[in-house]
Every structure is written in structure tokens, then in C-alpha cells.
Amino acid sequence: MSVIETSLRPPLLATFPENGPYRWLELADENGLYAVCAIATRPEYLELHITMTRWGPRTRRSLSHDLDWLKDEARRLGLPRIMGVRANDKGQFDEKLFRFARLYGFGEMCVFQTASLAVD
């Protein structure tokens, strides 16, 4: 289990702003990369976006250990919580998200939808 911070935005996170507030992470275990993340410091929490590249029992255990690193990082930054955020630009609701989040101790779940309007 390892968390690798990289200066390059992972291709799976191409919709995130390259020069925004995000730090890029790769999560890997003995079988290689299993997830990529974007994290950002917010006033009251560490924002976390995670995209899994594979799944299974070993990956689940690896992610559990790597979340400990994220918790330590939030503590180091003086932040009391991590807020996991899931975005879907196709307007689809991810029915598995809340179950996935509960596996790792996340709570206080809600659905947040947005739409944007271009101003010419």
C-alpha cells in the first residue's frame, strides 16, 4: 500500500482544473495502481475525489490502509474531516457510492446536483 503524490494530473481526472487547488495522488499496492485521487484543502475539510481503476478484496484492504494516510494528512493540515465527493457529468446517480463510502466509515451522506449557465 502506498500513496504517491504526483505533479501531473492523472488522465482519469482530466475534467479537473490543472492549475486549481488540487493535489494529485496515485494509490498503489503490490499489483500496481488501483486508484487515482484529487485532494484539496477547504476551510473545514479535506476534499477527496477518488476514481478506482480496479477492485477486489486485496484492493479493498489496500484502500483501507491508504485512507489512514489521508486521515493523517487531514490531521497534519488541521482539518477535522475528509469529505468524499463524487461527480458525474452524465447526470447519473451512482447507487453504489453510499454503500462504498460506509465501508470506510464515511457518514452524513447527501445528494448534491449542479447545473451551469454560460454568460456570454
Side-chain angles (χ1 to χ4, degrees):
M1 291 72 53
S2 67
V3 177
I4 303 145
E5 187 162 353
T6 177
S7 60
L8 298 174
R9 179 185 59 198
L12 288 171
L13 300 175
T15 58
F16 286 76
E18 183 113 35
N19 297 318
Y22 295 101
R23 294 166 47 198
W24 314 113
L25 306 176
E26 295 178 345
L27 307 183
D29 60 18
E30 59 274 0
N31 293 322
L33 184 74
Y34 71 83
V36 292
C37 302
I39 60 173
T41 302
R42 301 300 182 196
E44 297 184 18
Y45 57 87
L46 182 65
E47 179 182 333
L48 168 65
H49 299 264
I50 185 168
T51 299
M52 304 297 293
T53 59
R54 63 182 161 83
W55 191 246
R58 180 175 287 150
T59 303
R60 182 172 182 245
R61 287 188 299 274
S62 296
L63 180 56
S64 182
H65 291 290
D66 289 340
L67 277 172
D68 288 338
W69 183 93
L70 287 163
K71 290 176 189 177
D72 288 342
E73 184 65 3
R75 284 184 202 101
R76 186 185 73 77
L77 295 168
L79 301 169
R81 70 181 39 87
I82 297 171
M83 181 178 289
V85 179
R86 173 82 174 161
N88 182 305
D89 63 357
K90 309 241 184 317
Q92 299 167 334
F93 178 74
D94 185 348
E95 295 178 14
K96 297 177 186 175
L97 172 66
F98 293 161
R99 192 179 86 191
F100 173 84
R102 278 191 294 272
L103 280 173
Y104 297 98
F106 287 82
E108 300 179 25
M109 296 166 196
C110 69
V111 176
F112 179 77
Q113 296 178 302
T114 66
S116 60
L117 173 65
V119 179
D120 298 325

